[in-house]
């Protein structure tokens, strides 16, 4: 592997969970005022504390344009009567979310349940020369 490929590999693979959360939500685009509250890692959920449910996905799962109590991860957690972690970020595809899940397992713990919604139009392709 040459230096350029190694740098790209490190950029994609060797990031902390906190670095993977970097994105901006445009609250000025909302037609109704929605409060976007994030934990200290930059995710739209409570602090990581041994919650049993982990959710993954894109902006639909993160809940862009929705109050937190209308997002599907929140509704699912209430239905199951279990707390959840939501690692979803708008614009991310399946590969990014799966990599993020494994980073979460490495940095924290393995949750009991994992739910994911990956839109087919957001499929990513690995970097290939």
């Amino acid at each position: 592997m040459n230096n350029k490929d190694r740098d790209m590999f490190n950029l994609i693979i060797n990031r902390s969970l906190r670095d993977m959360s970097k994105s901006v939500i445009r609250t000025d685009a909302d037609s109704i005022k929605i409060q976007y509250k994030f934990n200290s890692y930059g995710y739209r959920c409570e602090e990581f504390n041994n919650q049993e449910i982990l959710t993954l996905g894109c902006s639909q799962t993160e809940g862009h344009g929705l109050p937190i109590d209308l997002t599907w991860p929140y509704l699912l957690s209430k239905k199951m009567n279990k707390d959840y972690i939501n690692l979803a970020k708008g614009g991310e595809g399946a590969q990014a979310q799966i990599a993020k899940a494994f980073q979460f397992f490495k940095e924290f713990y393995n949750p009991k349940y994992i739910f994911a919604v990956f839109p087919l139009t957001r499929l990513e392709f690995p970097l290939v020369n």
Side-chain angles (χ1 to χ4, degrees):
M1 183 181 294
N2 64 37
N3 287 341
K4 183 179 176 186
D5 291 339
R6 185 173 295 109
D7 290 344
M8 184 59 72
F9 176 82
N10 286 330
L11 176 68
I12 294 169
I13 301 300
N14 295 324
R15 295 183 294 167
S16 72
L17 195 61
R18 188 181 310 276
D19 291 337
M20 291 181 188
S21 78
K22 305 297 184 205
S23 75
V24 177
I25 292 179
R26 291 192 48 221
T27 58
D28 62 320
D30 296 328
S31 59
I32 60 171
K33 186 66 178 164
I34 297 172
Q35 180 181 3
Y36 292 97
K37 180 182 169 192
F38 300 94
N39 69 15
S40 63
Y41 280 80
Y43 296 96
R44 197 171 182 205
C45 61
E46 299 298 322
E47 293 297 330
F48 306 148
N49 189 22
N50 294 317
Q51 293 93 330
E52 292 186 69
I53 299 172
L54 174 66
T55 60
L56 304 167
C58 64
S59 58
Q60 294 173 339
T61 302
E62 187 177 15
H64 285 205
L66 291 173
I68 195 72
D69 58 344
L70 293 180
T71 63
W72 73 259
Y74 178 90
L75 295 170
L76 175 70
S77 74
K78 293 305 173 201
K79 186 76 170 171
M80 293 179 67
N81 198 29
K82 300 189 181 307
D83 292 330
Y84 73 101
I85 292 169
N86 186 357
L87 295 184
K89 283 292 176 182
E92 288 188 347
Q95 287 89 341
Q97 284 286 294
I98 291 168
K100 189 181 286 186
F102 280 97
Q103 187 63 33
F104 179 85
F105 305 154
K106 180 180 171 183
E107 289 186 35
F108 296 96
Y109 62 93
N110 294 352
K112 189 171 183 179
Y113 305 97
I114 301 172
F115 298 93
V117 174
F118 301 128
L120 292 177
T121 57
R122 297 276 327 143
L123 291 178
E124 297 171 346
F125 298 94
L127 296 171
V128 178
N129 288 336

